[in-house]
Amino acid sequence: MIRLWMMKYPLITGMVSYGGVWTASSITQQKFISKHEVDFVAVRRNTTVAVFVIAPLLHGWYKLAALWFGKGKRTWRTSLKIVVAEQLLFGPVILTSFFLSSGLLMGESVDNIKKEIKYKLPSTYMTSCMFFPLVNFINHLFIPFHFKITYQATVSFIWSNFLCFVKEKRLTEPAGGDEIANLPGSQPITARVSNQDS
């Protein structure tokens, strides 16, 4: 019964899966990695991003990949091509969407969001290149289409801990500049940006 429901509604299944995993990872990240009291406003924000941004984007990408490369059983060569395309084309999109949507929900200004993306996106993307290729290769080679988002949500527990940590992390630049104000509904963020970005 559950399997049939998941096959019929892969997007809703993925949204539920991502919501559960990112709720748990947001709590564990704050409690055990950043080691502070759990901010449930931040938990709610991360869950909202996971459910309404990350999961739908992944669903759209998987449908696009199926259109480009076929939806049937794949060979390792085809799976490898999808992984390369995913990392090069989709990776920057979904990471930028994460920082953008999280920033908007935190009430950040557009300028602050742009600065955060500028300083955090490159290193976050490089880290994703070390984590996701094998995960995505297994996904595209072995996992049926209707279970792909659920699989991705499950294995992304570690990654979502990392993303939540990166989002909370202070921006540090040695050059002087303006401070980004502390934002409502978040842990204090003090970012120093270079004068050329002011």
Side-chain angles (χ1 to χ4, degrees), residues 57-58 61-62 64-70 74 76-94 125 128-129 132-133 136-137 140:
L57 280 175
L58 278 170
W61 166 252
Y62 293 146
L64 186 61
L67 183 64
W68 286 350
F69 299 98
R74 296 191 174 113
W76 69 268
R77 291 177 184 273
T78 303
S79 299
L80 189 59
K81 290 178 182 178
I82 299 174
V83 168
V84 172
E86 189 165 19
Q87 205 63 45
L88 293 178
L89 302 177
F90 184 64
V93 172
I94 197 166
Y125 175 72
S128 77
C129 291
F132 276 111
N136 292 337
F137 181 76
H140 293 297

Side-chain angles (χ1 to χ4, degrees), residues 20 22 26 30 33 40 46 49 61 98 117-118 121-122 131 133 144 153 159 169:
W22 277 48
S26 183
Q30 294 183 59
I33 299 177
F40 286 99
N46 291 327
V49 171
W61 166 252
F98 167 76
I117 292 173
K118 175 181 178 180
L121 180 61
F131 180 82
W159 176 251
K169 190 178 180 182

Side-chain angles (χ1 to χ4, degrees), residues 123-145:
S123 60
T124 306
Y125 175 72
M126 292 306 296
T127 303
S128 77
C129 291
M130 294 184 284
F131 180 82
F132 276 111
L134 179 58
V135 168
N136 292 337
F137 181 76
I138 294 172
N139 193 6
H140 293 297
L141 185 59
F142 298 111
I143 308 300
F145 178 81

